[in-house]
Amino acid sequence: MLRFYCDVLGCTVERRKNAIGLLQLRAGRSLIDLVPADSQLGKAGGAPPGKEGRNLDHFCLRIEPFDETSIRQHLDANGVQAGELASRYGSEGEGPSIYISDPEGNVVELKGPSRG
């Protein structure tokens, strides 16, 4: 997971709280918290999500510049399969979007700027 989020998506490690099982990654102005299911924090949440039960549909990362060809080349070089480009509505309005999955099956939306 750490390799995926840092090497593939460009996040950086912001903070580790090993005693409770928390790894915080910087993604632009946002943080992504990775919590192992068998850690103190993870156990407090119950069973890990799976195909039969998810606690999240997906989350979105804003990408700029959004160059579909470059994004696909980078993902492909890292063995990450990308979904089709689609125009989807987000917090800034309608814009280009590609869905990918992290190594544990969490869906990540890579979103470009609004088109208007």
Side-chain angles (χ1 to χ4, degrees):
M1 291 288 278
L2 184 59
R3 188 194 81 72
F4 174 83
Y5 282 98
C6 291
D7 296 350
V8 177
L9 296 185
C11 297
T12 57
V13 175
E14 174 105 357
R15 186 170 78 136
R16 292 177 187 265
K17 301 289 270 182
N18 293 331
I20 61 170
L22 173 65
L23 176 62
Q24 292 183 305
L25 305 177
R26 173 67 54 191
R29 292 182 290 165
S30 301
L31 287 177
I32 298 172
D33 291 353
L34 296 182
V35 178
D38 63 352
S39 71
Q40 179 183 342
L41 266 180
K43 288 177 184 175
K51 289 187 184 281
E52 292 78 34
R54 301 182 302 178
N55 62 350
L56 171 76
D57 179 68
H58 76 281
F59 69 92
C60 180
L61 296 174
R62 175 71 155 72
I63 307 297
E64 194 166 340
F66 190 92
D67 178 335
E68 180 189 6
T69 301
S70 294
I71 291 169
R72 287 188 182 282
Q73 287 173 345
H74 176 74
L75 293 172
D76 189 53
N78 285 280
V80 177
Q81 184 176 8
E84 295 297 317
L85 178 71
S87 182
R88 295 185 176 93
Y89 187 80
S91 64
E92 298 175 345
E94 196 78 23
S97 166
I98 297 172
Y99 282 172
I100 61 173
S101 292
D102 75 13
E104 292 189 3
N106 300 296
V107 178
V108 181
E109 179 181 7
L110 304 179
K111 185 88 165 61
S114 173
R115 292 186 178 144

